[in-house]
Amino acid sequence: MAIQKTVKIKNRKAKFEYEILDTYTAGIVLRGTEIKAIREGKASIAESFCEFSNSELFVINMTVQEYSHATHFSHAPKSERKLLLNRSELKKLEKEVKNSGLTIIPLVLFTNSKGLAKVDIALCKGKKEYDKREVIKERDSKKQLSRIKKAFNN
């Protein structure tokens, strides 16, 4: 697979499962061939979440598949990866998570113009079941309305 110039890997379930309160952009500490695998698009943040350990933020369950041209010195696909944020942002997030019971979820994994891997993370609150049903109803009504408009215009 060819290396892509820009990579944008999204967590599509996040906006359905969680109510997004605040977003941040963080750098990621990567080892070895992880950046090459991300540039190939072989990463997933669908099941991942962020957790604090010793006042540092780590992304857990982020999958970065092994690089196709790597030797036997490759990386572990599901290891924890440290996120890089300002100290004030880390303190604010840690306070929110401990006091309010909110969670931090990665939304988008991307490469910037310099080729560095970044991740957009969000401070989220879990949606209730009835909120999810409401979203599904709105989505279905929008689809039906667009079908009616399309039929009316033809």
Side-chain angles (χ1 to χ4, degrees), residues 104-119:
I104 302 172
I105 303 293
L107 298 177
V108 181
L109 174 67
F110 64 96
T111 55
N112 66 2
S113 59
K114 294 181 182 179
L116 301 174
K118 303 280 185 177
V119 64

Side-chain angles (χ1 to χ4, degrees), residues 131 133-143:
D131 291 334
R133 284 193 295 254
E134 193 66 34
V135 170
I136 292 170
K137 284 180 190 175
E138 287 177 18
R139 192 183 313 147
D140 288 344
S141 64
K142 283 182 184 179
K143 281 182 187 178

Side-chain angles (χ1 to χ4, degrees), residues 11-29:
N11 186 352
R12 298 179 72 201
K13 280 188 173 181
K15 290 184 180 174
F16 179 73
E17 297 283 334
Y18 299 96
E19 179 184 337
I20 297 170
L21 304 175
D22 203 3
T23 59
Y24 299 91
T25 301
I28 312 172
V29 176

Side-chain angles (χ1 to χ4, degrees), residues 141-151:
S141 64
K142 283 182 184 179
K143 281 182 187 178
Q144 200 160 10
L145 187 63
S146 67
R147 285 185 192 137
I148 292 169
K149 284 183 180 178
K150 187 176 179 182

Side-chain angles (χ1 to χ4, degrees), residues 31-34 66-67 69-76:
R31 288 177 222 99
T33 56
E34 289 177 327
E66 292 185 3
Y67 180 56
H69 302 300
T71 59
H72 59 281
F73 298 110
S74 190
H75 62 274

Side-chain angles (χ1 to χ4, degrees), residues 73-119:
F73 298 110
S74 190
H75 62 274
K78 275 202 175 195
S79 62
E80 335 182 305
R81 292 166 181 91
K82 183 178 174 182
L83 295 179
L84 304 171
L85 286 166
N86 292 339
R87 188 173 292 131
S88 60
E89 291 175 333
L90 283 172
K91 285 181 182 178
K92 180 182 174 189
L93 282 172
E94 191 170 19
K95 186 176 81 172
E96 288 287 334
V97 168
K98 283 185 179 177
N99 295 340
S100 307
L102 302 175
T103 58
I104 302 172
I105 303 293
L107 298 177
V108 181
L109 174 67
F110 64 96
T111 55
N112 66 2
S113 59
K114 294 181 182 179
L116 301 174
K118 303 280 185 177
V119 64

